[in-house]
Amino acid sequence: MLAKVHSCALIGLEGVPVEVEVDISQGLGAFNVVGLPDAAVQEARERVRAAIKNSGGLFPNRRVTVNLAPADVRKEGGVHDLSMAVGILTASGQIVLRNERPLFLGELSLDGGVRHSNGVLPMVAIGQESGFDTAYVSAEDAPEAAAVRGMTVYPVDSLQQLVAHFNGLIQIEPHVERSEPGAEDTYGPDMRDIRGQEHAKRALEVAAAGGHNVAMVGPPGTGKTLLARAMPSILPTLTFDESLEVTKIHSVAGVLSRSVSLVTERPFRSPHHTISHAGLVGGGTVPRPGEISLAHRGVLFLDEFPEFDRVSLESLRQPLEEGDITVARAAATAVLPARFMLVAAMNPCPCGYLGDARRECTCTQSQITRYHRRISGPLLDRIDVHVEVPRVKYEEMAGVATGERSESIGKRVAEAREIGAERLSGTGRLMNAEMNPKDVDRFCETDRDAESLLRHAHDRLQLSGRGFHRVLKVARTIADLDGGERIGVSHLGEALQYRARAED
């Protein structure tokens, strides 16, 4: 007898519906799986056989062939276990599927329990887009799967429970809880907690308002890391669509917390400088998300920026420009989203004290030059805001914190982003940092005095074409924070102040 049920496979972040065909025919007892399965799928034969027997079912003592179609897509992991077991039980007449079009996603334990699987959210999402209206997943994964609107999700604890459900002995109730973004803020440090560094805080506000990348330079212990960790607290909350994007990535990477069904806070990723190239940009036999994709719609903080591997740093150029990265491997090619805000922190020299008024630098000029050359000019050119973070004075450290709270700064940032998004409506872009040259020509209009200043700065700072446009983008953001229709001298002057470090 032949039975057909459906599961799903992943290529990068994209799901591919998989038709699980089960044929039970006369012959010596055998269990074969075909359709380009990996080792974990091949091992499903033993898991499925034991799960059916230990759930009170009867495994057919005949020739069982399972085909996972399409055959040219590699199938990985244990997510197909449940669909294979249901297909065998259907083909042998032990259960009768209803008229609904269900997906079955989950790994089986030997006693028939249904376990967690990575990537459930993108698989359920592609199933919904492909016309499926029902998904049976592990009870642990049900809240995550239920984030896909329009999909009926059934939480399954065990194969025995699922068999009883289809045979009408019990009724599994659909999971109805929905998680929405905008939950209580649990971010770390507040901007008010940071003593002094008002200039750096202003630079971060400008960067957050326009989605610009930031580089902070200063001696050790001046608060660069604390400033970076406070950055998410002034960013606008994720929209539902953004939450869904971020959750898909974290689900596929296997880093989604079991207690969280939908990521509602902007990611903050801070990899160590010893991270591998694949760990940063993504990779593997079948491409998996790296840190830059896990920071999608959030902040990627690279402390000790020059200490990162040169090849890894240069690989940031594509995502910083385009918002995604293409990872090509022999088994597959995947385009992974990576639209993040880069916040980089570095010392001014190897010892860290170049230009410090209190401590003398011990580096030679050649050491300083080599240190700066670890970061290429094209990469620095893609960072819009450069800011120095000097040592904090005693009066500022010992005094009462008087700075603005992140909440009030965040309101200005959100208003500026709304202005930018409304201006760019219809272009497919949301923030000033994403504007292309045509958008810059159209929306970054300067007044007469600002035009004169820009001409002078272009010649004196020897701005590249990209640097010229990025100065205008930052000035546009500052004007939005100020509520200005045109870019004025003060807006452009502040933008040039942030740019000067990159053009030295």
Side-chain angles (χ1 to χ4, degrees):
M1 185 176 176
L2 179 68
K4 295 183 180 181
V5 295
H6 293 88
S7 181
C8 199
L10 283 175
I11 301 177
L13 297 180
E14 297 300 319
V16 177
V18 173
E19 187 172 59
V20 181
E21 301 174 313
V22 179
D23 177 69
I24 302 178
S25 57
Q26 297 296 332
L28 294 175
F31 187 2
N32 298 311
V33 180
V34 298
L36 207 60
D38 73 347
V41 179
Q42 288 286 9
E43 291 170 353
R45 293 176 298 177
E46 304 307 321
R47 291 195 298 271
V48 169
R49 188 194 302 271
I52 290 177
K53 289 182 178 180
N54 292 327
S55 298
L58 179 66
F59 192 89
N61 190 24
R62 289 184 286 175
R63 187 176 184 84
V64 178
T65 303
V66 176
N67 179 42
L68 306 175
D72 61 343
V73 175
R74 189 162 186 81
K75 321 305 184 303
E76 292 187 307
V79 71
H80 307 290
D81 290 7
L82 186 59
S83 59
M84 292 165 64
V86 170
I88 291 170
L89 292 171
T90 303
S92 59
Q94 298 179 63
I95 64 173
V96 178
L97 295 183
R98 301 171 184 176
N99 293 328
E100 59 197 11
R101 294 195 66 202
L103 283 176
F104 295 95
L105 306 170
E107 178 184 330
L108 290 175
S109 61
L110 296 184
D111 63 359
V114 184
R115 290 175 168 166
H116 161 77
S117 297
N118 291 338
V120 164
L121 179 58
M123 288 190 281
V124 172
I126 197 65
Q128 196 260 348
E129 293 174 10
S130 302
F132 295 92
D133 53 16
T134 307
Y136 290 86
V137 303
S138 75
E140 191 175 345
D141 292 334
E144 178 185 336
V148 179
R149 292 170 174 171
M151 199 73 164
T152 302
V153 176
Y154 288 92
V156 182
D157 291 311
S158 66
L159 183 61
Q160 185 177 25
Q161 179 195 32
L162 187 62
V163 170
H165 170 75
F166 282 119
N167 289 337
L169 300 178
I170 64 170
Q171 177 64 43
I172 301 177
E173 296 298 326
H175 187 91
V176 295
E177 180 183 352
R178 294 290 189 272
S179 296
E180 297 288 345
E184 183 180 356
D185 180 22
T186 58
Y187 288 125
D190 190 281
M191 284 292 183
R192 186 182 176 86
D193 299 333
I194 303 171
R195 304 297 178 93
Q197 307 298 5
E198 298 304 322
H199 177 62
K201 292 180 190 177
R202 169 62 180 178
L204 293 185
E205 178 182 345
V206 171
H212 304 288
N213 303 310
V214 186
M216 295 184 288
V217 182
T222 55
K224 299 186 295 294
T225 300
L226 189 61
L227 283 163
R229 293 192 177 279
M231 185 70 163
S233 68
I234 64 173
L235 294 175
T237 57
L238 290 170
T239 65
F240 179 80
D241 289 341
E242 289 174 336
S243 289
L244 213 54
E245 285 181 57
V246 174
T247 307
K248 285 181 182 179
I249 298 169
H250 287 221
S251 176
V252 170
V255 299
L256 186 66
S257 172
R258 302 290 177 85
S259 62
V260 174
S261 59
L262 194 67
V263 177
T264 59
E265 295 180 351
R266 293 195 180 270
F268 180 88
R269 306 296 298 185
S270 179
H272 192 261
H273 60 77
T274 56
I275 189 172
S276 67
H277 178 74
L280 184 65
V281 304
T285 305
V286 175
R288 286 288 185 268
E291 288 293 328
I292 64 174
S293 292
L294 292 172
H296 181 63
R297 300 296 181 188
V299 174
L300 177 68
F301 176 48
L302 301 185
D303 201 4
E304 304 296 342
F305 196 40
E307 301 297 337
F308 282 81
D309 177 66
R310 179 68 178 260
V311 174
S312 298
L313 288 181
E314 292 305 305
S315 65
L316 295 178
R317 286 158 64 171
Q318 180 193 355
L320 287 176
E321 199 72 26
E322 302 176 10
D324 57 41
I325 188 166
T326 302
V327 181
R329 295 293 183 268
T333 297
V335 178
L336 304 175
R339 191 167 294 284
F340 56 87
M341 283 183 59
L342 173 64
V343 179
M346 59 183 289
N347 297 327
C349 66
C351 78
Y353 297 103
L354 180 66
D356 192 344
R358 299 186 186 178
R359 190 163 175 177
E360 185 178 353
C361 173
T362 60
C363 303
T364 64
Q365 186 57 48
S366 61
Q367 288 176 323
I368 296 171
T369 301
R370 283 198 301 271
Y371 183 74
H372 287 168
R373 283 180 178 173
R374 292 180 184 178
I375 306 172
S376 69
L379 180 57
L380 281 175
D381 212 29
R382 286 168 168 81
I383 299 178
D384 303 345
V385 177
H386 297 253
V387 60
E388 291 192 9
V389 184
R391 189 184 297 275
V392 181
K393 297 178 180 178
Y394 170 79
E395 292 76 10
E396 294 173 323
M397 287 295 297
V400 179
T402 58
E404 276 190 285
R405 294 193 178 277
S406 291
E407 183 180 2
S408 60
I409 299 173
K411 287 180 180 178
R412 291 198 300 270
V413 168
E415 290 171 1
R417 282 208 178 189
E418 287 176 7
I419 293 172
E422 184 177 351
R423 183 190 303 116
L424 293 168
S425 61
T427 66
R429 290 170 286 281
L430 299 175
M431 296 181 293
N432 291 337
E434 300 173 8
M435 289 193 291
N436 60 29
K438 185 182 293 185
D439 296 329
V440 172
D441 292 339
R442 181 180 175 188
F443 300 123
C444 296
E445 187 178 358
T446 59
D447 61 26
R448 182 178 301 177
D449 292 337
E451 176 75 22
S452 176
L453 176 60
L454 184 61
R455 182 182 298 109
H456 178 71
H458 179 272
D459 296 336
R460 182 176 180 183
L461 298 178
Q462 298 180 357
L463 293 171
S464 65
R466 182 184 292 112
F468 178 80
H469 282 138
R470 287 184 180 272
V471 165
L472 285 173
K473 291 178 188 178
V474 175
R476 180 66 268 173
T477 299
I478 297 170
D480 289 342
L481 285 167
D482 197 33
E485 290 291 331
R486 286 187 172 190
I487 296 173
V489 171
S490 61
H491 309 139
L492 187 60
E494 185 177 353
L496 288 169
Q497 183 182 19
Y498 297 138
R499 189 68 196 175
R501 181 75 186 185
E503 303 295 340
D504 286 341

